[in-house]
Amino acid sequence: MINRLLNELQIIQFFNLQSPQTKAIILNISSIVLFSIMVIFIRKASESLHILEVVFFRNLLALIVMLPIIKSIGLAAIKMNNTRLFFMRGFVGAIGMIAGFTCLTLIPLAQATAISFSQPLFITIGATIFLGEIIKARRIAAIIVGIIGMLIIVQPGFNSLSLGIILAIISALALSVNALIVKKLTLTDTPHAIIIWMVVMLIPITLIPAIPVWEWPSLEAWLYLWGIAILGTLAHFSWTKSYAMADITSLEPIGFIKLPIMALLGWMIFSEIPGTWTWVGGLIIFMSTIYISQREAKASGSHKPNKGAQEPKL
C-alpha cells in the first residue's frame, strides 16, 4: 500500500515538473488512449446489448459521472443563453453519436477511425458556407486532397458502399456540424454549459429509439457501459485541458496515433487486420487536416493555447 502511494506521488511529482507543452502532450495522448479503450468497450457492450441502448446509457451514465462537477460549479454556471442552438446541437449530436457508435459495430475499427479524420475537412467547408469564413487556394487544395484520401479508403468505384461506411461518413458530417454549433455557442455560453447540456439533451433524444429494442443489460454489459461513461468523461477532460495548455498546431499531429492504436486493439481483440488503403487514405486525410489547421492558426495570427478547439467525438 505504501509502495503504491509512493509510486503515485512520484508520478504526480514528475508531471508537475514538466513544462506546459509537455503536460499538454501527455494529456492529449492520454485522451486518445482513453477514447480508444472506450471504443473497444462500445464494441464489447454491443455484443450483448443493442447499440441504440449503448448510446442511451453512454449519456445517462455520463450525466451521473458529471453530477459532482455540476454540484461544485453551481447551476448558474450552466445557464443556457442560446436555447435554440442548444437544441439544434442536441439533435445533430444524437445523429452523429448514433451513426458513429453503430458504424463501430459494422466496419473495422481502423477504417472507422481513418474516416473520422475527415471531420476537420467538413468543418472547414461548413465554416465557409454557414459562417462566411474565407478560405484561400491552399486550403481548398488541402480539402481536395483530403477528399481524395477518403475516396482511397472507401474506393466507391471498386467496392459497394457498405452501411458501416455510410454511417461513418454521416457521423463525421454530423459531428462537424456539431463543432460549428459549438463554435457559435462559445460566444454566448460557458464551456461547462455546452458540455453538460449536450449530455442532458441526448438522454431523452436517445431514449426514444432505444425503447423498441429495450432489454436490461447483463452484469458484464453494465461493466462496459460504466467504463464507456467514465472513460469518455476522463478523456474529454484530458482533451479539453490539453488544448487549453498548448497551441493547437502542436497537438493536432499527435492525433494520428489513434489509427495505429485502434488498428492494434482491433487486431488483438477482434482479429481485424486493416487494409493497406485504409492506412494510405487515413494518412492523406490526416496530413491535409494538419495543413488546414496550421493555415488557420497563421491566418488568425495566434499560436496561443486554443480555448475553443473542436470538441472530441463520441
Side-chain angles (χ1 to χ4, degrees):
M1 179 70 180
I2 295 175
N3 289 334
R4 188 176 67 179
L5 180 60
L6 289 173
N7 289 333
E8 289 176 354
L9 290 173
Q10 288 174 358
I11 292 173
I12 293 171
Q13 184 178 18
F14 167 79
F15 190 74
N16 288 335
L17 290 174
Q18 305 309 307
S19 67
Q21 180 71 24
T22 303
K23 290 180 182 179
I25 291 173
I26 294 173
L27 286 168
N28 199 264
I29 293 174
S30 299
S31 72
I32 292 172
V33 173
L34 291 171
F35 275 125
S36 299
I37 298 173
M38 185 186 77
V39 167
I40 299 298
F41 282 9
I42 291 171
R43 172 78 74 85
K44 294 296 289 184
S46 69
E47 292 177 355
S48 60
L49 200 64
H50 197 285
I51 194 62
L52 293 177
E53 278 193 77
V54 177
V55 174
F56 165 70
F57 279 114
R58 184 259 182 269
N59 295 295
L60 177 64
L61 299 182
L63 178 61
I64 295 175
V65 172
M66 289 180 181
L67 286 178
I69 300 175
I70 298 174
K71 183 178 179 180
S72 65
I73 63 175
L75 294 178
I78 60 172
K79 177 185 176 182
M80 281 193 292
N81 295 313
N82 196 331
T83 307
R84 183 177 64 87
L85 278 184
F86 271 103
F87 277 100
M88 285 179 58
R89 190 195 175 206
F91 283 104
V92 173
I95 293 171
M97 186 174 287
I98 291 172
F101 275 42
T102 305
C103 81
L104 294 174
T105 68
L106 300 174
I107 59 177
L109 300 181
Q111 189 176 42
T113 301
I115 293 174
S116 73
F117 288 155
S118 64
Q119 285 184 44
L121 303 178
F122 295 136
I123 290 172
T124 304
I125 295 171
T128 304
I129 296 173
F130 300 110
L131 302 181
E133 295 186 5
I134 299 174
I135 58 173
K136 297 183 179 180
R138 291 183 181 181
R139 275 193 280 171
I140 293 174
I143 291 172
I144 294 173
V145 170
I147 292 174
I148 291 172
M150 182 182 292
L151 292 175
I152 289 174
I153 298 173
V154 176
Q155 299 183 43
F158 301 93
N159 303 312
S160 59
L161 289 179
S162 68
L163 177 61
I165 290 176
I166 292 172
L167 288 174
I169 295 173
I170 290 174
S171 176
L173 281 167
L175 292 174
S176 300
V177 174
N178 180 67
L180 293 172
I181 295 174
V182 169
K183 188 173 183 179
K184 296 284 286 185
L185 281 173
T186 56
L187 301 176
T188 59
D189 293 84
T190 67
H192 283 116
I194 293 171
I195 294 171
I196 292 171
W197 278 110
M198 175 66 172
V199 174
V200 171
M201 289 186 173
L202 281 176
I203 291 172
I205 294 174
T206 56
L207 173 62
I208 295 172
I211 290 175
V213 295
W214 188 268
E215 60 178 300
W216 285 106
S218 63
L219 176 60
E220 181 181 3
W222 274 117
L223 294 175
Y224 287 127
L225 292 171
W226 275 108
I228 292 168
I230 294 170
L231 289 173
T233 302
L234 291 174
H236 201 153
F237 172 80
S238 298
W239 185 93
T240 305
K241 187 70 175 176
S242 71
Y243 275 87
M245 297 173 68
D247 184 351
I248 186 173
T249 55
S250 67
L251 295 177
E252 280 295 310
I254 299 173
F256 189 73
I257 69 170
K258 187 176 181 180
L259 184 55
I261 289 174
M262 291 310 306
L264 178 63
L265 292 175
W267 171 67
M268 291 175 61
I269 300 172
F270 304 109
S271 300
E272 296 177 350
I273 301 177
T276 302
W277 296 118
T278 296
W279 291 99
V280 173
L283 180 60
I284 290 174
I285 294 172
F286 194 77
M287 293 305 294
S288 67
T289 60
I290 291 299
Y291 179 80
I292 288 173
S293 68
Q294 290 177 338
R295 294 299 301 178
E296 288 177 347
K298 289 180 180 179
S300 66
S302 173
H303 289 279
K304 298 176 182 178
N306 186 48
K307 303 295 184 181
Q310 176 195 348
E311 190 178 5
K313 52 198 170 296
L314 301 180

